[in-house]
Structures are given as C-alpha cells and as structure tokens.
Amino acid sequence: MLDDLAAAGADLRSDMLLLDQQLCFSLNAATRAFGSVYRTALKDLGLTYPQYLVMLVLWEHGELPVKRLGERLRLDSGTLSPLLKRLEATGLVARERSPQDERSVIVSLTPAGRDLRDPARAVPRHIGAAAGLSLAELRTLRELLTRLTANLDAAEA
Amino acid sequence: MLDDLAAAGADLRSDMLLLDQQLCFSLNAATRAFGSVYRTALKDLGLTYPQYLVMLVLWEHGELPVKRLGERLRLDSGTLSPLLKRLEATGLVARERSPQDERSVIVSLTPAGRDLRDPARAVPRHIGAAAGLSLAELRTLRELLTRLTANLDAAEA
DNA sequence: GACGATTGAGTTGTGCGCAATTGAATAGCG
DNA sequence: CGCTATTCAATTGCGCACAACTCAATCGTC
C-alpha cells in the first residue's frame, strides 16, 4: 500500500499518517517535559502544575465560578472539584455558593493566594529560558496548537 | 525590572513571559484535545491512547525490553508496568524475562496484538482529518515540539 | 404555580504519570 | 573470588483526567 502510493508519486497521504503518528509522540513528550520543568520550578511554591494553571487564571480574573474556570482550562468538574478542594485546604483559595445562583460555586483568592503571585513571577522566566526557542517560534507554536485544539474540538462535536 | 526593560523599549522579555504562560495553556489543551479524539477513535479497538502509543512502538519494533519502550515514549516503569500488565491481560502482549539479562523484561506482540495493526490503520487517517492542519504546518509543529522537548530535557538535567 | 428539562458541582471508578522505594540481577573493582 | 555499586522492573502513594452518575437549583413551558 505504501509502495502503491510511492509509485504514484503521491506519498502525501502516507506522509500524513507518519507525521500524525510522530506528532502524537512529540506532543505527549513535549507536554510531559514541560510539566516536568514546571514541577521542579513550582516545588518551592507548593503547587502542582495543574494547580499553578488554576492560580494563573485566578490571578488574572480575581474570582470566577468553577464553570468558567473549566472553560478557560478545558477541564471539567470531575478534575477541578478535588483540585480546588486541595487548594482550599492549603489556604490559597476560597469557595462559596453564588447567592444569585445556588448551583454555581465561586472560587476566589485568599490573601495567601494573592501573595503567592509575586514569588510565582520567577517561574515563567525560568521556563522561557529552558525552552530555548525564539520568540517567533514560540508564537508559531502557540498559534498552531491553538488552531489544532479548536479544529479537534470542532471535529469531536 | 520589567519596567526597566519596557522603558528600554524592549518588552521582548515580558512578551516571552506572556507567551510562555499562554503556551502552557495551549500545550495542555492541545494534548487533551488530541487525547480526546484518539480516545473515541480507539474505542472500537479496546485501547486507551497511551496503550495505543505502546502498541505503535511494538508494531514498529516487533519486541523490545521495557527500558527501550520507556525511552521511546519518555515513560518510566512506574507508568509502563501496570499499563503493560493490562495489555497482557487483554491478550495483546506477552512479557518474559530476558534469558541474557534476567533483570530486563522483553515485551512482545501476541498474534492478537499483531492482528490489531490492520484495523488500527484507520485511526491516524481519522485524526489527520480532524486536525485540519496542512502537511507543512504539521511538520513545523512536530519539529518545534521535538526541539522544545530536547531543550527542556537538557535544561532539566 | 406546577413540572419536565437543563445546568452546575460533586462523587465514584478507572487509568495515566511521576517520585520514592524495594528487590533481584548484573557489572566492576579490589 | 568477594564485595560494592549500578541497573532494571515492579510497587506504593499521590495527584490529574475523564466517563458516568447523582443531586440540587434553575429555567421554560404550560
């Protein structure tokens, strides 16, 4: 089959297959390598990588319901609920039912959670250096990943 | 410090910080979106996404020790051992101690595992279509991810 | 206002990912 | 040869991710 296509001079499709397979390897490897560097960088802050991502959103937005947090991070309540309980247990975050809609839970920063923002500023600097890619390359990478995610999510639905 | 740089007309560094933060979001989102599409595509085969990655390596190499499998996939025995036990339980894979070196375990395909390769060929085609990126873009993406991983791993060590 | 449908969090169960540890087999050095 | 150090797989413990489900609150329609 591969020979047939090669013989036809159009191995574009088989290239696509190989690339896709290689892409799933490299995407997974990159995510875990990224996570690994973040993990060591976040160790002093007492945060895991996913917890740090949640804190980033909260530092940006101040407070918001679990639903919005999940949309922003592409995570559902099955993941967020226990994670937020842990963040609450460490005193970084507060959770309370919205008075307007008793179904939703508003997640907000405690003073300790806000105070963590400053020491956390060192983290992306460290990662940026370790990544070793140019600004243009990082931009390209982010843009491709964003489009890939949008396309995949659209195809899924 | 950020102000100093901005005053110098070079917010390249702060751009880097923002980009890095956005990159960790998009990288995570993309990985999970990818995994989600693979999950549904692999449902009929009875494989999870990580199990599929293991099978890909085995389909390519025939058989190899757990160590090599882990190097190829950037996974350690803590992840692979239970995963391989599950693949063994479903009858796709066999595990046996190497006679040359009793420490290492050789993982090989059973006939059922080999037979799964043909129906599995439909999977990357489906993902490639859902990705919605050009061949050139996929190539660029893979290349950037590979370099990113290499750089991060080097920085980690 | 009553009621079925929908929405938002939470829980449970399964599997992945990693750090830390264990234990057995091998390699290397004196 | 004997002893230590290293290597490899497996295990344990913890946290993340997701599917499936529960339950309460809200919305829509009548």
Side-chain angles (χ1 to χ4, degrees), chain A residues 18 21-22 24-26 28-30 32, chain B residues 53-62 64-76 80 149 153:
Chain A
L18 290 176
Q21 296 198 353
Q22 293 173 6
C24 62
F25 282 94
S26 46
N28 270 268
R32 290 205 309 282
Chain B
L53 295 180
V54 167
M55 292 300 287
L56 278 180
V57 175
L58 290 175
W59 284 326
E60 183 183 351
H61 288 92
L64 68 182
V66 175
K67 187 74 192 308
R68 300 275 163 269
L69 211 47
E71 289 170 358
R72 202 91 172 68
L73 295 165
R74 210 188 176 281
L75 292 172
D76 64 356
L80 285 176
T149 302
D153 279 344

Side-chain angles (χ1 to χ4, degrees), chain A residues 23-143:
Chain A
L23 186 58
C24 62
F25 282 94
S26 46
L27 188 52
N28 270 268
T31 294
R32 290 205 309 282
F34 221 62
S36 178
V37 175
Y38 265 108
R39 202 182 338 275
T40 65
L42 291 169
K43 201 172 184 180
D44 295 341
L45 300 179
L47 291 175
T48 67
Y49 183 30
Q51 286 168 9
Y52 169 74
L53 295 179
V54 168
M55 293 301 287
L56 278 181
V57 175
L58 290 175
W59 285 327
E60 183 182 352
H61 288 91
E63 73 176 35
L64 69 183
V66 174
K67 188 73 195 306
R68 302 275 162 269
L69 211 46
E71 289 169 358
R72 201 92 171 69
L73 295 166
R74 209 189 177 282
L75 292 172
D76 64 358
S77 68
T79 299
L80 285 176
S81 287
L83 188 155
L84 291 171
K85 279 188 70 173
R86 280 185 285 272
L87 282 180
E88 188 182 33
T90 61
L92 298 176
V93 144
R95 293 184 306 153
E96 52 181 339
R97 294 272 164 190
S98 165
Q100 286 76 32
D101 187 341
E102 288 277 339
R103 289 172 303 181
S104 78
V105 169
I106 309 295
V107 182
S108 59
L109 290 165
T110 63
R114 254 185 297 275
D115 291 346
L116 204 63
R117 185 173 195 176
D118 267 335
R121 290 186 201 281
V123 173
R125 213 179 311 272
H126 179 251
I127 273 73
L133 296 184
S134 74
L135 192 52
E137 287 171 330
L138 290 173
R139 237 191 284 272
T140 301
L141 183 53
R142 180 179 56 76
E143 197 261 340

